[in-house]
Amino acid sequence: MGLIVQKFGGSSVANAERVNHVAEIITNTYKAGNQVVVVLSAQGDTTDDLIEKANEINPKASKREMDMLLSTGEQISVALMAMAIGRMGFPVVSLTGWQVGMETSSHYGNARIKKVSGTRIQEELDRNKIVLVCGFQGVNKYDDVTTLGRGGSDTTAVALAVALKADLCQIYTDVDGVYTADPRVIKNARKLDEITHDEMLELATLGAKVLHNRSVEMAKTYNMNLEVLSSFTGKPGTIVKEDAKLEKTHVSGVACDKNIARIALVGLQDKPGIAYRIFSMLAKEKINVDIILQSIGRGNTKDISFTVEKDNLAEAARILEEKKHLIGFDHMNTTDTISKVSIVGAGMANNSGVAALMFEALYEANINIHMISTSEIKVSVLIDEEDSEKAMQVVHDKFFNIMQ
Ligand code: ASP
Ligand code: MG
């Protein structure tokens, strides 16, 4: 018995039947003697449909009005769920982000949670109610509605769990946990029982779509355990926690990110300050740079290559071209037909040879590596996009098949 925060994603509440099914899960948790706070996403594709509706009317609509529109999806979900639970005879109340005091930055479309008051929720819990809260939305200092970025309901759930000092935060979705690789791509991927916050954060950032990465960041900061599980199967899911038991392979997952592009600046002067100039110009325009590689100098020149998100390629290239006279390079090459395959594992830090095994798998499959980057718990390689699936499969096989 305790206080449990449960979050249900869009597919879990997509229609009346799913809503009724989730109402069973919620009320069973309540009947077991727990206090229950539930965060819901918009039903099915509602958020995408709302974006489309906006585009029909004004493709350049202001971000403020977009948030006003997009936040309605979650409000539909909580109201319908309250009706389903009410019909079953349980005390329940639905609340918006504003009503629960979800204070955010003013950044429409991608607001950050600053503070959660939680008083209203506490009052409702004290009245023995099941409390349903709109995910994804908050309110800024102008009293305007904001949203937390796509997939942001996970972050709402973790923020509430932290604010209310919940005993557990369960993230219900349509897959039964976190896998060693995307099970839609890698057929023999398997579910992990446990994973550390750090590993999950890397995987979420690397494009595994299970959890919003800011939700994991917050869970890590406040040491909140998460359970990722399916609302469809009722099977135990994956626990995300600080000291998860490590995989025998030292690797927990393989991820692939196709949303990247590479820029190479060739023939830069080999002198101090060049890298600073390039990357500060990009940072000023809020362009995130990922892997960076600098060649050793030949004569008086060197090359620097780096990756950016695909969407930022055109802008980054434009900025560099415009500032060519300040940076001083011979020419620039860009490509967006590349992808990044990564292995993640907390056990890597203390074990040599993990990276070599990954390179061996790629070599055996005759896949060429363009760039490499490593951190304590991650090795990433840049390869041709057309090799992505094959690379994921051979790397996954190298670490996971041999152990079974
Ligand atoms: N409904 C929002 C979205 O589709 C938030 C969420 O589902 O977490 O991105
Ligand atoms: Mg999601």
Side-chain angles (χ1 to χ4, degrees):
M1 282 197 321
L3 172 57
I4 301 187
V5 173
Q6 298 182 318
K7 180 256 169 180
F8 295 89
S11 51
S12 297
V13 294
N15 51 41
E17 189 196 338
R18 301 298 316 155
V19 168
N20 284 323
H21 176 71
V22 165
E24 290 280 344
I25 299 179
I26 296 170
T27 52
N28 283 339
T29 313
Y30 179 82
K31 274 192 287 192
N34 299 293
Q35 292 188 305
V36 191
V37 175
V38 177
V39 173
L40 298 181
S41 289
Q43 294 185 289
D45 297 328
T46 303
T47 310
D48 291 327
D49 295 346
L50 289 170
I51 292 174
E52 222 169 274
K53 269 199 171 73
N55 284 339
E56 275 171 26
I57 290 176
N58 180 358
K60 295 206 172 95
S62 77
K63 289 188 169 173
R64 181 196 182 276
E65 299 308 334
M66 282 308 284
D67 278 2
M68 196 64 169
L69 179 70
L70 298 193
S71 59
T72 60
E74 274 65 19
Q75 205 167 320
I76 295 175
S77 295
V78 292
L80 292 175
M81 186 62 73
M83 294 173 194
I85 293 175
R87 203 182 63 160
M88 294 165 76
F90 292 88
V92 61
V93 61
S94 67
L95 299 169
T96 63
W98 174 75
Q99 286 174 302
V100 304
M102 184 65 68
E103 294 175 30
T104 73
S105 66
S106 352
H107 199 170
Y108 299 106
N110 200 17
R112 302 241 159 194
I113 297 173
K114 289 172 110 173
K115 202 175 135 210
V116 188
S117 109
T119 341
R120 176 72 189 272
I121 298 183
Q122 202 53 59
E123 285 167 15
E124 300 292 354
L125 288 174
D126 292 344
R127 292 185 194 121
N128 289 323
K129 293 215 179 142
I130 295 173
V131 183
L132 310 181
V133 182
C134 294
F136 182 53
Q137 57 175 254
V139 57
N140 66 16
K141 62 179 178 203
Y142 309 112
D143 280 346
D144 283 341
V145 178
T146 53
T147 65
L148 307 179
R150 298 304 306 269
S153 296
D154 296 338
T155 302
T156 308
V158 176
L160 288 179
V162 169
L164 298 166
K165 301 195 169 50
D167 298 292
L168 181 63
C169 181
Q170 294 181 309
I171 309 283
Y172 280 90
T173 173
D174 49 10
V175 290
D176 37 274
V178 181
Y179 277 70
T180 51
D182 184 342
R184 284 163 303 189
V185 181
I186 304 299
K187 294 292 168 242
N188 51 354
R190 58 186 172 79
K191 200 197 81 190
L192 297 162
D193 295 331
E194 294 186 352
I195 187 168
T196 66
H197 286 125
D198 283 323
E199 291 172 317
M200 191 63 235
L201 190 56
E202 287 288 1
L203 287 175
T205 310
L206 288 168
K209 300 255 160 13
V210 218
L211 287 176
H212 196 221
N213 66 351
R214 267 157 50 203
S215 72
V216 187
E217 216 168 68
M218 199 181 290
K220 177 177 162 54
T221 306
Y222 297 98
N223 201 7
M224 174 60 62
N225 292 356
L226 307 179
E227 184 181 7
V228 180
L229 69 175
S230 162
S231 69
F232 292 76
T233 64
K235 287 195 217 144
T238 302
I239 306 280
V240 187
K241 59 182 195 176
E242 207 42 53
D243 53 349
K245 64 177 189 309
L246 299 176
E247 288 283 311
K248 282 180 288 200
T249 53
H250 311 303
V251 170
S252 291
V254 182
C256 179
D257 183 0
K258 293 185 179 175
N259 182 26
I260 70 172
R262 183 186 54 184
I263 297 179
L265 296 174
V266 182
L268 293 155
Q269 292 179 61
D270 192 12
K271 65 171 193 191
I274 297 291
Y276 164 68
R277 259 181 235 168
I278 297 170
F279 296 112
S280 57
M281 278 171 194
L282 296 174
K284 224 167 75 198
E285 303 300 324
K286 300 249 177 310
I287 294 179
N288 270 338
V289 171
D290 185 24
I291 306 179
I292 300 176
L293 187 79
Q294 176 179 308
S295 69
I296 50 170
R298 313 167 239 90
N300 263 337
T301 68
K302 64 186 173 191
D303 309 332
I304 292 183
S305 342
F306 55 90
T307 62
V308 293
E309 282 177 22
K310 252 182 197 153
D311 295 347
N312 287 334
L313 175 60
E315 202 192 343
R318 182 185 57 76
I319 293 168
L320 295 168
E321 201 58 62
E322 262 175 37
K323 300 280 160 65
K324 189 172 176 177
H325 60 288
L326 294 177
I327 308 168
F329 54 88
D330 184 56
H331 61 278
M332 172 165 56
N333 292 326
T334 64
T335 167
D336 64 359
T337 52
I338 49 164
S339 70
K340 180 172 72 172
V341 170
S342 310
I343 52 173
V344 172
M348 239 183 244
N350 307 315
N351 288 280
S352 51
V354 176
L357 267 185
M358 179 188 197
F359 303 151
E360 182 182 43
L362 295 169
Y363 159 65
E364 285 164 355
N366 201 22
I367 294 169
N368 196 28
I369 301 173
H370 301 303
M371 287 164 107
I372 298 173
S373 96
T374 63
S375 78
E376 280 221 329
I377 67 161
K378 178 181 79 170
V379 181
S380 297
V381 298
L382 208 66
I383 57 169
D384 289 336
E385 187 168 345
E386 60 183 23
D387 289 332
S388 305
E389 280 76 24
K390 187 162 138 205
M392 279 196 67
Q393 187 69 60
V394 294
V395 171
H396 188 271
D397 284 349
K398 193 60 132 190
F399 289 101
F400 296 102
N401 264 7
I402 45 173
M403 300 305 297
Q404 287 167 357

